[in-house]
Amino acid sequence: MLAATNTGVGSTSFSMSVAAFLLNGGAAGFMFLASKYQPSQLAEEQRTASRFHKLLARDIETTLLIDPRLRKDAHLNGVEDFMLVAQLRNIALAAEDRSEMHAIIGVQRDNWNKLCHMTVNITTIAAAMLAAMNTGIGSTSFSMSVAGFLLNGGAAGFMFLAGKYQPSQLAEEQRTASRFHKLLARDIETTLLIDPRLRKDAHLYMEEVMGRLQALDVGFPLPLRPNGLEKFPKVVAPSVLGPVADLTETEIPANNTNGWTDAIMKDLQRTADKLQTSDIAKYVRAARNKETTNKRLAVSAPVFAVVAALLSLVGCWPGIQLAGVAAGCSIVAVLVSSFSNGGQIGMIFELYRNCAGYYAEMEEDIQSTMRIPVCQREDGELYHQKIALQLGRRDQMPSFSSEEKTAGELF
C-alpha cells in the first residue's frame, strides 16, 4: 500500500521507500518462520496426540470394566448379557472418540471462519483506502488502481469461498456432532448403571444406540467434500440425529405394568403430536428464513467486491474518475460480508436446523417406544421424566395445557 501511494504522489519519497522496505522485510521473515515451522501443523500434531492418549486411557478403563471372560486372550464363551454389555461399552468408546474428532475439527473450522473474516475485512478496507486516496490526489495513479483491483479481486475470491463453504456453519456442525456423540456415550454409561428391571430391552437398546451412532456419522460427516452437508439446501429439513423410526407397527396400549399407564401413554402421544405440529415446524420455518437471508448475503458481498475491482481497473484510464465509486462499492462489500460472516448467519441457520432435529428425534423416539411391547420398554415413569427433562419442562412432566403453543421450553 505504501509502495502504491509512493508511486501515486508524483515524486518518490525516501522515507516511504524505507518504511516499505522494512515492512516487506519483516513480513518476509514472519512468512519464512511460518513456512518452516508450520504453526497450524504443530497445533494439529498436539491435538492428535492428545486425542489418542485420551483414547488409550478410555480403552484401558473400558477393558477393565468388561467381564474377564470377554477380554482379549480369554478362552471361555461369555454369557450373552456380558457380551451385550461389552458391545455397548465399545459403542460408547467409539462415540467418545468421534466426539473428540469432531471437537478438534470444530476448532479448526472456527479458526478458518475467524481468519477468513479478518482477511476479507483487511483486504477490502485497504482497497477502499487506495481508491479513496487515488481520488484525492487529483490525477489517477495506475499503480494504485492496479493495487486496488488486485485487493478487491482477492477479497471477492475469499468472499465467494466463505459464501460457498460457510465456515461458521461448518464449525457449528462439528460442535453439534461433538455434543451428540458425547450425549450418546453418556447415555450408554448411564443405562448400564440403571437396574436391569428398569432398562429397555438390552437387544433393542443395542440396535438403537448403534443406529444413533451410524445416523450421526451420516448426518455430520467429517470431510468437506464430497459428502459434506449442503449449505443452501432446496428443502430445509431437521438435522438427522438418530435412525428413522419404524412407525409401521401399530401402537401397543399400556397394561399398567413396568410403570406404563394409560395416562402416561396419552400424555406422551399429546407431546409427540405437539412437537410435530408446533416445535419442529417453528424451527424449520426459522431455519428456512435464515437460509434465504444467508444466500442473498453470500451472493451480494462478492458481487460488490467484483464491481469495485472492475471500477478500480477501469478508473486507471485518463479522463475516467471512478475511484470514488470503487471505494464505495468496497465499503458496501465489507459491510455485507461482515454482517454475513461476522454475524454468523450460517451458524444461526444450522442452530435452528439442529433445534428442529432435536425435537424431531425426540418425537420419533416417543412414537417408536410406544410401538414395542411394554415388557421390552424402559420403566414408564423414568421414560416420562426423561422426556420432560429433555423438553425443559419445569414441572418435570411433559403435561401441558391446551393454551401453550409449544411442548418444549428448552430453546
Side-chain angles (χ1 to χ4, degrees), residues 52-66 90 93 96:
F52 281 104
H53 278 99
K54 287 181 180 178
L55 179 61
L56 176 61
R58 288 196 300 267
D59 192 7
I60 295 171
E61 292 174 0
T62 303
T63 302
L64 292 176
L65 291 172
I66 294 175
N90 283 336
L93 184 63
E96 288 187 15

Side-chain angles (χ1 to χ4, degrees), residues 134-336:
N134 204 9
T135 306
I137 60 177
S139 60
T140 305
S141 168
F142 177 77
S143 60
M144 294 177 76
S145 298
V146 171
F149 168 76
L150 294 175
L151 287 171
N152 276 312
F158 275 108
M159 290 176 186
F160 171 77
L161 291 175
K164 180 179 176 63
Y165 291 105
Q166 295 292 320
S168 65
Q169 187 174 339
L170 292 174
E172 180 61 23
E173 290 171 6
Q174 300 306 313
R175 285 192 292 264
T176 302
S178 176
R179 174 196 161 203
F180 280 101
H181 277 101
K182 282 183 181 177
L183 179 62
L184 175 59
R186 289 197 297 266
D187 189 0
I188 294 172
E189 294 297 334
T190 302
T191 301
L192 291 176
L193 293 174
I194 295 175
D195 189 284
R197 294 168 294 180
L198 303 177
R199 296 179 196 164
K200 192 175 185 177
D201 179 77
H203 293 279
L204 290 178
Y205 184 69
M206 175 59 181
E207 294 177 3
E208 177 190 325
V209 295
M210 180 61 77
R212 286 170 61 184
L213 182 63
Q214 293 171 348
L216 288 173
D217 287 340
V218 174
F220 297 94
L222 287 167
L224 279 177
R225 308 292 293 176
N227 299 320
L229 294 179
E230 190 176 354
K231 299 302 174 283
F232 302 103
K234 294 180 181 178
V235 179
V236 177
S239 56
V240 179
L241 303 178
V244 179
D246 183 11
L247 303 181
T248 57
E249 299 291 335
T250 57
E251 184 177 324
I252 298 176
N255 58 3
N256 296 318
T257 60
N258 196 23
W260 286 89
T261 63
D262 291 334
I264 289 178
M265 292 282 288
K266 291 178 181 178
D267 193 29
L268 288 173
Q269 186 59 58
R270 286 198 303 268
T271 302
D273 293 340
K274 179 65 75 171
L275 286 171
Q276 180 64 40
T277 58
S278 180
D279 299 74
I280 299 171
K282 179 180 74 171
Y283 285 105
V284 168
R285 186 167 54 252
R288 189 182 300 115
N289 293 336
K290 289 299 177 184
E291 190 260 349
T292 302
T293 302
N294 194 29
K295 185 184 295 183
R296 292 173 180 172
L297 294 173
V299 172
S300 301
V303 167
F304 278 111
V306 168
V307 170
L310 294 176
L311 290 176
S312 296
L313 190 62
V314 173
C316 68
W317 299 100
I320 301 178
Q321 294 292 333
L322 295 175
V325 182
C329 288
S330 296
I331 292 172
V332 173
V334 76
L335 290 175
V336 173

